[in-house]
Structures are given as structure tokens and as C-alpha cells.
Amino acid sequence: GFEVSEAESCEGTLRALRDSLPDLAIVDFTLPDGDALSLLPRMREVAPDLGVVLLTGHGSVNLAVRAIRSGAACG
């Protein structure tokens, strides 16, 4: 019962946000044209209240702190 859209890059994600504002975005940390830390503030400009889940296979406390400072929510 969910409608799913995909994007394969930071720029593709921003285009998808502008075209069809989703309820939630699930974003891999590493993308071909950047990473989630550089993408998050840009996503917030387009969709300030969007829920974002960041995924990574190489997490650390330092990365979590940097993500929160870039606009990720903790919870």
C-alpha cells in the first residue's frame, strides 16, 4: 500500500523531492555524487519536515554526531 520512488544520486534525490514530496526518505550514506551529510541540508531546504532515515554499513558515533549536526533526527 505504499508508493515508492527511487533515486540513485544526491541530485536525483533532490529532483524526486521537488517532483513528489514523500512522507519519508531512506537514504544510503554513500551516493555516487556525494554523501548524506552534504545532501541532508539540501533536502531540508526543499522539505523541512521530511523524515529521513540514513543507512550505512560503516556507522560510528562520530558519523552519528555529524549526521545530527547536518539535520538528521535522532530517535
Side-chain angles (χ1 to χ4, degrees):
F2 296 98
E3 184 177 325
V4 177
S5 298
E6 294 182 37
E8 296 182 10
S9 65
C10 294
E11 290 306 316
T13 299
L14 294 171
R15 274 193 306 274
L17 283 179
R18 288 184 195 104
D19 292 346
S20 172
L21 185 61
D23 295 318
L24 176 71
I26 301 172
V27 181
D28 192 1
F29 179 76
T30 304
L31 298 164
D33 58 347
D35 63 41
L37 293 184
S38 62
L39 178 60
L40 267 171
R42 296 169 65 195
M43 291 175 72
R44 291 282 176 237
E45 289 175 11
V46 176
D49 298 323
L50 177 67
V52 178
V53 176
L54 293 181
L55 301 177
T56 181
H58 306 284
S60 67
V61 172
N62 181 43
L63 179 57
V65 169
R66 289 173 42 213
I68 290 169
R69 288 182 178 158
S70 294
C74 183

